[in-house]
Amino acid sequence: MSPKIAIIIGLLIRLGLIAYAEIQDKYFNLKYTDIDYSVYSDGAQYVVDGGSPYDRHTYRYSPILAYILIPNVWISSFGKILFSFVDMLACVFMQKMVKSTFLLNLWIFNPLTIQVSTRGSSDTIIVLLIYVMLYLLKKEMYTWAALIYGFMVHLRIYPIIYAIPLYFFIDSHQPERIYLGIISKNKVKFALISGGLFIGLLILFHFIYEDFLFQTYLYHFTRKDNRHNFSPYFYQIYLSFESITRTQATLTFLPQFLIVILAGLKYYRDLPFAMLIQTLGFVVFNKVQTAQYFVWWIALIPLALQNTKMNNKEILMLSIIWLILEVQWNFGSYYLEIQGYDVFTMIFIQCIMFFLSNTYLMIKFIENRKPSEFYKIKMD
């Protein structure tokens, strides 16, 4: 199957599920549409009514997302359709750099990634921006790549973890451009443009919306969430929610930052692989994990694992095992949320199993990596 045909089929599957979601949401207790989609839509409604998207409780995104989804006020599925088209547009850029049809299809036909976009997650926008940025970096179009990166971090703060490998990657194939081992014209240009755009947007929206800075960025650093989720931290937070200090909540970031810094410095020449290990480590050790977070690192697999020692069968088996563990966690979630059973201990055990499987996956990726440089990858 050619990439173009796969992308078309992938889009049709997504559009079909969006249509089905209307039925499930109307007639079943277990809704198909993600709660975040309702938050986006409500934020857009507040904007249309002349208010702030932050008037909607739990709206913790850029106002730009609410602006984009204003048509949701009149067409409820607009955002899902948009996210699905964006998802497949990301695949168009993937196939320019990913030569393995198997790895490309691993994203297009992955049940999790299909579900995330059709349930209404906006994270496919970040996936598209990541691949556009990588494409521009390969073309050495640093100004445009920097603008994309700055805008990306504005929309979703987590890609800021890529700053280290991005900085050291630029001009790494031409050491004569680099002064004192760390400075070059293109490095500085990328840093100033991306940082300038991010800060400029931050200042702009801070003046427009007084809640913008805290709700969009600062909240995540001191977040305390006692709702069940995939993180191994969740049960301890649930049991001692009232006694957890903001300092303790902040300290949970330390393992993440350690992985982000070390992976960025060690693998920056193989930029997609560095980003994969950074993102996987960041998500695995995060104190809150939802299904959307998995998209952050799964999206990088097609490009990052092109030079792995693992064959397609091994990658497929790991993917299936991972999906089984993810699905079995959802059974516990169903019994807790829908049936109202006290299954916290069971979910905690499932979280530990999931944490160990993700850690094992990260180790397998590292052990089977073949040294390569992103600059040398051929591109259409």
Side-chain angles (χ1 to χ4, degrees):
M1 186 188 304
S2 70
K4 290 183 179 179
I5 297 298
I7 290 171
I8 292 171
I9 293 174
L11 178 60
L12 292 175
I13 290 172
R14 285 159 171 79
L15 294 177
L17 282 171
I18 291 170
Y20 164 76
E22 297 296 318
I23 299 173
Q24 181 169 328
D25 289 349
K26 185 175 181 179
Y27 295 105
F28 293 86
N29 290 330
L30 182 61
K31 306 301 182 185
Y32 186 89
T33 301
D34 191 271
I35 186 63
D36 286 348
Y37 190 70
S38 299
V39 176
Y40 306 155
S41 299
D42 291 346
Q45 181 69 65
Y46 277 112
V47 170
V48 170
D49 293 340
S52 164
Y54 301 102
D55 291 338
R56 203 298 186 184
H57 181 60
T58 74
Y59 187 91
R60 311 195 194 281
Y61 312 94
S62 165
I64 292 176
L65 184 58
Y67 302 162
I68 292 172
L69 295 182
I70 283 177
N72 265 23
V73 174
W74 303 282
I75 306 171
S76 62
S77 295
F78 170 81
K80 295 178 185 178
I81 296 170
L82 174 65
F83 299 152
S84 295
F85 271 94
V86 166
D87 190 359
M88 292 300 95
L89 182 57
C91 291
V92 172
F93 282 90
M94 279 188 200
Q95 61 93 25
K96 292 180 180 294
M97 296 176 281
V98 177
K99 303 308 175 185
S100 168
T101 303
F102 168 78
L103 289 174
L104 183 64
N105 289 340
L106 201 62
W107 171 266
I108 296 174
F109 300 110
N110 187 313
L112 176 67
T113 59
I114 291 173
Q115 185 188 53
V116 165
S117 60
T118 57
R119 291 185 69 209
S121 170
S122 64
D123 286 295
T124 54
I125 295 176
I126 302 301
V127 174
L128 171 62
L129 293 176
I130 285 173
Y131 272 90
V132 172
M133 179 191 69
L134 290 172
Y135 178 82
L136 293 170
L137 285 172
K138 278 287 293 176
K139 293 282 190 179
E140 297 189 42
M141 300 171 67
Y142 297 117
T143 298
W144 285 106
L147 289 170
I148 293 292
Y149 182 59
F151 183 63
M152 183 198 314
V153 176
H154 166 77
L155 286 180
R156 209 67 150 112
I157 192 63
Y158 88 87
I160 200 170
I161 66 177
Y162 306 142
I164 290 176
L166 282 170
Y167 181 83
F168 285 100
F169 168 78
I170 293 171
D171 286 341
S172 60
H173 65 311
Q174 293 182 313
E176 68 275 7
R177 294 180 179 178
I178 303 174
Y179 304 98
L180 304 176
I182 58 170
I183 299 174
S184 75
K185 178 181 176 180
N186 289 323
K187 289 179 187 291
V188 173
K189 178 168 70 173
F190 186 91
L192 290 177
I193 292 174
S194 60
L197 178 59
F198 173 77
I199 293 172
L201 290 171
L202 185 151
I203 293 171
L204 172 65
F205 287 117
H206 177 63
F207 278 108
I208 298 174
Y209 304 111
E210 61 178 351
D211 294 336
F212 163 74
L213 185 59
F214 177 79
Q215 296 293 353
T216 306
Y217 303 126
L218 301 181
Y219 166 82
H220 299 285
F221 290 95
T222 56
R223 178 179 183 180
K224 294 195 299 179
D225 194 335
N226 65 343
R227 294 293 300 275
H228 71 285
N229 61 83
F230 291 93
S231 172
Y233 291 116
F234 109 86
Y235 196 47
Q236 185 266 335
I237 293 174
Y238 171 77
L239 293 175
S240 56
F241 184 69
E242 296 300 329
S243 60
I244 292 178
T245 66
R246 292 197 179 275
T247 300
Q248 289 174 317
T250 304
L251 286 175
T252 59
F253 285 104
L254 291 179
Q256 296 170 291
F257 290 156
L258 185 62
I259 293 173
V260 164
I261 292 170
L262 293 178
L265 291 174
K266 183 173 178 61
Y267 301 118
Y268 67 87
R269 290 181 183 274
D270 189 358
L271 182 59
F273 186 81
M275 294 166 65
L276 170 62
I277 299 303
Q278 283 185 307
T279 314
L280 181 52
F282 184 81
V283 171
V284 167
F285 287 92
N286 201 30
K287 62 180 181 290
V288 177
Q289 289 181 39
T290 64
Q292 291 95 322
Y293 292 16
F294 305 141
V295 171
W296 299 355
W297 60 266
I298 292 174
L300 292 162
I301 284 179
L303 188 53
L305 295 190
Q306 287 196 104
N307 296 308
T308 184
K309 297 174 186 176
M310 293 185 289
N311 57 40
N312 291 347
K313 184 178 179 180
E314 288 178 285
I315 295 173
L316 181 61
M317 287 305 299
L318 284 173
S319 301
I320 292 172
I321 292 170
W322 186 90
L323 277 172
I324 290 172
L325 289 171
E326 197 267 347
V327 169
Q328 59 87 27
W329 183 94
N330 281 311
F331 276 113
S333 176
Y334 171 79
Y335 283 117
L336 176 65
E337 285 196 358
I338 306 302
Q339 300 296 329
Y341 296 156
D342 183 1
V343 290
F344 279 100
T345 302
M346 181 183 76
I347 293 177
F348 175 63
I349 294 171
Q350 292 172 331
C351 286
I352 296 300
M353 291 173 58
F354 200 58
F355 170 79
L356 293 175
S357 69
N358 283 324
T359 304
Y360 174 75
L361 203 61
M362 184 161 52
I363 293 170
K364 285 286 289 185
F365 289 161
I366 293 172
E367 286 180 343
N368 289 280
R369 172 183 174 265
K370 290 180 181 178
S372 63
E373 295 186 21
F374 183 53
Y375 269 122
K376 294 181 180 180
I377 293 177
K378 294 182 180 180
M379 187 172 65
D380 292 339

